[in-house]
């Protein structure tokens, strides 16, 4: 997910935030805006920071650590090609890079198959009271019953009936979409926008995709963006 050059994507250990080149203050401002836009989703998460060849000192590392902490995010690792940055990370008590291991589901999160790109696949039906939360795309092969909830940093694809609550683009990605074979959610959110299904049942369900257009969530046939 890229916004204003800032990349946030799901990895097995949580989130990876990638910063590009340019003034440090500008990147901190961009990161603050992204965290503010997805405050409820970020809260309680953990993140690694990829700064490329940027040289950071311990003060700058503490600055980004404090910024993330204000939104309930734990900074646990920094990866960089700069030796001085790696040394500062170690002195700050952070891991100097990523060790890709098996990610354990967070509390309240349904376990599923993790895709290499950070997506999550669940081959089951979600029933009332169950909740799935994942920083990347979520694919569910089954139904999402009323009272169940799916929160994704990316897109949500449901190969079945959607009757529960779904929040796609929860970290502020307004390009995220929600697709389902029967799209009748209790509530549907994309980034900071909210919509509900109209009252009354349709006689014949059709595959649909919900997307954001001109500040409104619209449902279109599930054929193309």
């Amino acid at each position: 997910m890229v916004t204003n050059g800032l990349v946030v994507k799901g990895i097995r250990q949580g989130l990876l935030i990638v910063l590009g080149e340019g003034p440090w203050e500008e990147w901190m401002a961009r990161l603050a805006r992204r965290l503010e836009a997805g405050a409820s989703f970020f809260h309680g998460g953990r993140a690694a920071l990829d700064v490329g060849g940027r040289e950071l000192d311990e003060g700058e590392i503490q600055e980004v650590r404090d910024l993330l902490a204000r939104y309930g995010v734990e900074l646990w690792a920094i990866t960089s090609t700069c030796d001085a940055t790696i040394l500062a990370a170690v002195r700050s008590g952070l891991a100097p890079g990523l060790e890709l291991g098996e990610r354990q589901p967070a509390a309240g999160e349904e376990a599923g198959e993790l895709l290499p790109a950070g997506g999550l696949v669940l081959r089951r039906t979600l029933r009332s009271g169950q909740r799935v939360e994942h920083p990347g795309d979520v694919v569910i092969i089954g139904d999402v019953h009323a009272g169940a909830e799916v929160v994704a940093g990316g897109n949500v694809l449901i190969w079945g009936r959607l009757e529960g609550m779904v929040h796609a683009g929860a970290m502020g990605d307004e390009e995220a979409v929600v697709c389902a074979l029967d799209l009748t959610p209790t509530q549907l959110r994309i980034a900071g926008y909210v919509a509900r299904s109209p009252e009354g049942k349709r006689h014949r369900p059709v595959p649909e995709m919900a997307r954001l257009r001109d500040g409104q969530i619209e449902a279109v046939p599930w054929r193309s963006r």
Side-chain angles (χ1 to χ4, degrees):
M1 184 193 312
V2 182
T3 301
N4 296 328
L6 180 69
V7 178
V8 180
K9 58 184 178 180
I11 58 174
R12 292 185 176 183
Q13 303 95 328
L15 295 173
L16 177 63
I17 301 171
V18 183
L19 304 185
E21 298 179 353
W24 177 250
E25 295 76 12
E26 292 184 10
W27 283 105
M28 290 300 94
R30 292 178 186 178
L31 180 57
R33 289 194 294 270
R34 174 66 72 83
L35 292 167
E36 180 66 29
S40 61
F41 181 81
F42 280 109
H43 187 78
R46 62 198 305 261
L49 187 68
D50 183 348
V51 298
R54 181 189 297 274
E55 181 176 347
L56 295 182
D57 58 30
E58 292 176 54
E60 289 166 325
I61 290 175
Q62 189 60 48
E63 180 184 358
V64 68
R65 200 176 203 171
D66 290 343
L67 174 59
L68 291 167
R70 286 203 296 272
Y71 292 89
V73 181
E74 174 196 1
L75 178 64
W76 69 276
I78 288 183
T79 179
S80 174
T81 58
C82 176
D83 291 341
T85 299
I86 293 300
L87 181 59
V90 172
R91 287 174 173 169
S92 299
L94 301 175
L98 304 179
E99 296 179 1
L100 296 178
E102 290 298 322
R103 175 183 178 273
Q104 298 300 316
E109 177 182 314
E110 291 286 314
E113 173 188 349
L114 285 163
L115 300 178
L120 176 70
V121 176
L122 295 173
R123 305 175 189 274
R124 64 176 68 88
T125 288
L126 295 184
R127 307 189 185 280
S128 179
Q130 293 182 306
R131 174 185 171 93
V132 170
E133 186 172 338
H134 186 70
D137 298 329
V138 173
V139 178
I140 296 175
I141 303 174
D143 298 332
V144 177
H145 289 182
E149 186 174 0
V150 179
V151 180
N155 305 300
V156 177
L157 189 155
I158 298 170
W159 199 256
R161 177 178 298 174
L162 169 57
E163 296 177 321
M165 299 174 62
V166 168
H167 188 180
M171 293 182 286
D173 184 7
E174 297 185 358
E175 297 296 318
V177 298
V178 177
C179 300
L181 298 184
D182 186 2
L183 189 68
T184 55
T186 305
Q187 184 188 91
L188 191 150
R189 298 181 63 185
I190 296 177
Y193 297 83
V194 183
R196 291 177 173 80
S197 294
E199 295 184 2
K201 294 184 178 180
R202 293 175 295 182
H203 295 291
R204 185 171 178 270
V206 295
E208 288 182 300
M209 175 179 68
R211 63 185 183 184
L212 188 62
R213 284 294 181 272
D214 299 324
Q216 300 288 331
I217 296 176
E218 64 175 10
V220 298
W222 183 5
R223 289 194 292 267
S224 67
R225 293 287 287 264

